Amino acid sequence: MMANRKWWIVGFLALAVGLTTGSLPGTVEPAPPVSPVRSDPPAAALQGSNVYLGVSSCASIACHGGPIRPPMEPAPPAWQSSSTVWVTKDRHAKAYNVLWEPRSKDIVRLLNGGDNLKPPEPWNDSRCLACHSLHSATADPGIVSDGVSCEACHGAANGWLVPHTTVAWRNLPQRKKYQKPFAMRNTKDMIPRVEVCIGCHVGQADSEDGSPRDVTHSLIAAGHPRLAFEFSAYMANMPPHWKTATTQATKSEASAWIVGQALAAQAAKELGAAHAARGSTEFADYDCYACHHELKSESWRRAQAEAHHDRRSAPGELRLSTWYTGMLQRVQPLANLDLKTATAAEAAKALETWIDGQDAAGLRQIMANLATQAADALHWDDATQCYLALVALDDARLAAAMPRGSGPSETDTRILESIKSLNHQLAFPKDSNSPRNYDPMQFRTEMRILVDLLTGKNK
Ligand code: HEC
Ligand code: HEC
Ligand code: HEC
Ligand code: HEC
């Protein structure tokens, strides 16, 4: 019955490779900001927390609503145009509007069992608003309609809006800004930043306001894109409204990748546990390809089964999704850390320290190892996650290998080209919502070329 079902998964891959060339070392940031300073001391902070004030309190021209930075130097500092970038370029600004589109109504109509007596109102539906807006009992409708706005990531602003424009704020130790009475959310450090994203992009059984954030199989079958989050790629795909030096210089793409892997796996596990506690089998926790077949007779999932590389499933047994766990299982043994008793945040921190301690040669070795394992993985999810890992690790490797101002070597360029060709293999065809053209044997061949380049066998 399911043999002819088609896919619907987002084709986010095409953009992801831009990462590698987009953040090579050598970008110099302009002079420090001159802010619209007020004299109120931070102590004048409003009391109480979780009162959202809305984009309009951030977007004035003198604050974050300035013109987008012109390409010439010296450009005004990034923070002056944060709001302008968000409103003109960032998909988060459209997240509420999308709920008024026919496809959102279709999703909710199907979720309601096709019941036409109850008109679908996704823009009023907490099953959608939990992720598509600043959802909160205390937020007024005008703020909800801003979509995923500033405070969804930076925290409710009532505690810090006024203080953060003062001179005293600038001299305040960073950690104090994240504590009461201010309680700004920390997006500077990698771990709390990833935690912000995964609440919506992986999901969360209990969000701050109590409504679950969950893209279940029912939502997917009703037409919602499958959530297939990978932090370093999503971060790279968000139009930056910040000073890129602060995100790129101190932390590498490799650390963004590994922290993202560790925390997303934990979030997926927690969501899975919540499904289990509910007593239901949530199909979204399982391998999509275990039930959905491709039309093509020589489909890759069959090739995979025949190659006996997938030991996690036997006939008749459902295979759990490996999207959030596969790479972590492959990279952890390389780090050789004892993480048995560590919390997810501790494990993320330890892995981050480990990978940040690698030089270019070390990163290259990790890449070669993961690529060797991926050449045998064959599964589209695993292959894609490995590709995303290679993009991030190669970015960090180049940053570590190249002294400021120098260009990539000939081998570096060939490695990059080889990684790009993998993207081509994995991407969805233009007219399709599934990886219809993915050919595991060709993927394996290209992966082996890359392994040879990385290990120096192919000069
Ligand atoms: C767990 C959080 C979450 C929930 C709950 C959720 N969404 Fe989404 N939705 C997302 C994310 C994240 C994306 C972007 C997916 C991507 O590109 O990776 C998205 C994308 C979409 C898109 C495609 C948008 C585009 O620009 O192509 C539509 C339409 C949509 N959601 C509608 C809905 C509706 C209707 C509901 C309620 C029934 C809902 N969503 C519930 C997180 C969620
Ligand atoms: C989807 C999450 C998200 C949303 C929505 C968002 N931001 Fe950010 N913002 C970030 C992240 C991540 C950073 C990077 C943190 C860093 O390194 O400084 C950041 C950084 C900033 C910075 C620091 C700039 C710098 O160069 O130091 C400012 C200012 C800022 N955001 C303002 C805003 C404003 C104003 C809005 C709404 C119009 C907004 N943000 C919406 C995630 C978000
Ligand atoms: C409050 C929920 C929420 C949070 C927090 C959030 N997002 Fe999103 N994000 C969404 C939704 C919903 C969409 C889909 C919007 C649409 O297309 O209409 C989205 C879309 C995106 C997209 C565009 C995806 C595509 O297919 O082009 C990127 C990139 C992204 N988010 C990155 C991030 C990052 C990085 C963070 C953390 C710093 C983050 N998001 C935090 C809800 C959220
Ligand atoms: C245990 C088997 C199973 C798993 C695992 C599973 N599905 Fe399904 N899927 C089904 C069944 C059965 C239906 C038809 C009933 C329904 O609509 O819920 C379906 C329906 C769908 C539909 C609607 C198709 C249509 O033609 O209307 C989509 C899209 C879909 N699934 C995508 C996915 C994705 C993406 C995943 C992985 C995150 C997944 N499924 C995992 C069994 C599964």
Side-chain angles (χ1 to χ4, degrees):
M1 176 200 99
M2 275 175 279
N4 292 341
R5 291 202 178 269
K6 287 235 301 197
W7 281 98
W8 199 28
I9 303 181
V10 236
F12 66 95
L13 288 165
L15 288 164
V17 86
L19 178 69
T20 320
T21 41
S23 52
L24 292 178
T27 9
V28 183
E29 278 296 313
V34 185
S35 53
V37 178
R38 300 195 205 169
S39 54
D40 333 27
L46 295 166
Q47 295 300 313
S49 61
N50 276 348
V51 180
Y52 294 109
L53 305 177
V55 179
S56 58
S57 22
C58 320
S60 87
I61 292 182
C63 299
H64 299 297
I68 290 190
R69 300 171 354 126
M72 79 278 202
E73 300 287 342
W79 65 261
Q80 289 186 355
S81 57
S82 296
S83 178
T84 319
V85 170
W86 174 83
V87 85
T88 57
K89 300 187 172 175
D90 198 312
R91 290 260 300 266
H92 293 113
K94 317 265 179 320
Y96 174 81
N97 297 352
V98 111
L99 300 179
W100 288 82
E101 291 179 11
R103 52 187 171 156
S104 287
K105 286 190 210 164
D106 289 344
I107 294 173
V108 171
R109 185 177 298 114
L110 284 167
L111 275 181
N112 293 345
D115 182 356
N116 283 322
L117 295 172
K118 200 171 148 200
E121 294 189 343
W123 55 89
N124 269 332
D125 198 318
S126 64
R127 287 175 297 187
C128 314
L129 290 170
C131 300
H132 282 261
S133 85
L134 224 183
H135 189 38
S136 152
T138 56
D140 73 53
I143 293 176
V144 170
S145 69
D146 286 340
V148 178
S149 53
C150 322
E151 293 162 287
C153 294
H154 295 293
N158 65 308
W160 53 264
L161 182 71
V162 173
H164 97 293
T165 62
T166 64
V167 183
W169 180 263
R170 240 186 272 158
N171 302 325
L172 203 63
Q174 207 63 27
R175 83 193 137 72
K176 289 236 159 116
K177 298 178 182 174
Y178 309 135
Q179 294 164 357
K180 285 188 172 171
F182 314 113
M184 185 183 248
R185 216 186 261 163
N186 178 2
T187 52
K188 295 255 182 263
D189 293 320
M190 199 68 82
I191 290 176
R193 184 189 303 169
V194 177
E195 280 167 350
V196 167
C197 316
I198 58 182
C200 295
H201 281 273
V202 179
Q204 204 176 13
D206 289 301
S207 69
E208 253 167 63
D209 71 348
S211 41
R213 291 164 154 180
D214 201 356
V215 173
T216 58
H217 185 266
S218 310
L219 260 83
I220 298 172
H224 197 281
R226 171 193 178 193
L227 297 189
F229 183 67
E230 195 285 304
F231 173 73
S232 68
Y234 271 70
M235 192 65 203
N237 281 348
M238 218 177 116
H241 59 259
W242 50 81
K243 184 165 70 183
T244 41
T246 52
T247 55
Q248 303 286 348
T250 49
K251 303 279 179 187
S252 70
E253 281 306 325
S255 61
W257 171 73
I258 210 159
V259 171
Q261 290 291 320
L263 298 181
Q266 176 65 20
K269 193 172 141 195
E270 283 168 11
L271 199 58
H275 295 148
R278 216 167 53 196
S280 58
T281 302
E282 175 47 64
F283 287 1
D285 294 337
Y286 290 87
D287 175 15
C288 316
Y289 300 93
C291 300
H292 295 278
H293 298 215
E294 288 288 317
L295 281 168
K296 275 199 292 182
S297 58
E298 296 212 311
S299 103
W300 58 266
R301 38 176 308 287
R302 228 167 55 201
Q304 180 200 32
E306 279 156 18
H308 300 296
H309 280 296
D310 185 4
R311 283 181 298 273
R312 281 159 295 201
S313 67
E317 188 186 314
L318 270 186
R319 179 186 189 267
L320 276 168
S321 165
T322 55
W323 178 263
Y324 291 115
T325 52
M327 290 314 293
L328 205 57
Q329 275 165 10
R330 293 190 172 99
V331 78
Q332 264 181 1
L334 307 182
N336 200 20
L337 299 163
D338 183 10
L339 301 173
K340 274 191 214 75
T341 57
T343 63
E346 285 162 358
K349 188 82 216 152
L351 287 164
E352 183 187 24
T353 308
W354 168 70
I355 214 149
D356 268 346
Q358 301 291 324
D359 60 8
L363 289 166
R364 189 164 165 161
Q365 220 165 25
I366 297 168
M367 287 172 71
N369 191 305
L370 295 178
T372 307
Q373 297 188 54
D376 285 335
L378 299 179
H379 195 285
W380 183 86
D381 277 17
D382 294 344
T384 302
Q385 276 278 9
C386 182
Y387 158 77
L388 294 169
L390 290 169
V391 170
L393 292 170
D394 197 48
D395 188 274
R397 185 186 69 83
L398 286 173
M402 289 191 296
R404 253 179 141 61
S406 76
S409 73
E410 202 192 310
T411 316
D412 290 339
T413 309
R414 287 179 65 192
I415 291 173
L416 198 61
E417 287 306 317
S418 174
I419 295 175
K420 277 190 192 159
S421 72
L422 298 175
N423 177 310
H424 192 67
Q425 294 263 320
L426 298 164
F428 298 176
K430 269 211 172 61
D431 57 344
S432 168
N433 291 315
S434 87
R436 207 160 15 93
N437 291 348
Y438 173 54
D439 174 348
M441 294 310 158
Q442 201 183 334
F443 180 80
R444 173 188 281 176
T445 306
E446 297 214 13
M447 207 48 141
R448 286 187 177 154
I449 296 172
L450 176 59
V451 171
D452 285 349
L453 279 169
L454 287 166
T455 53
K457 279 199 201 113
N458 182 351
K459 281 264 161 60

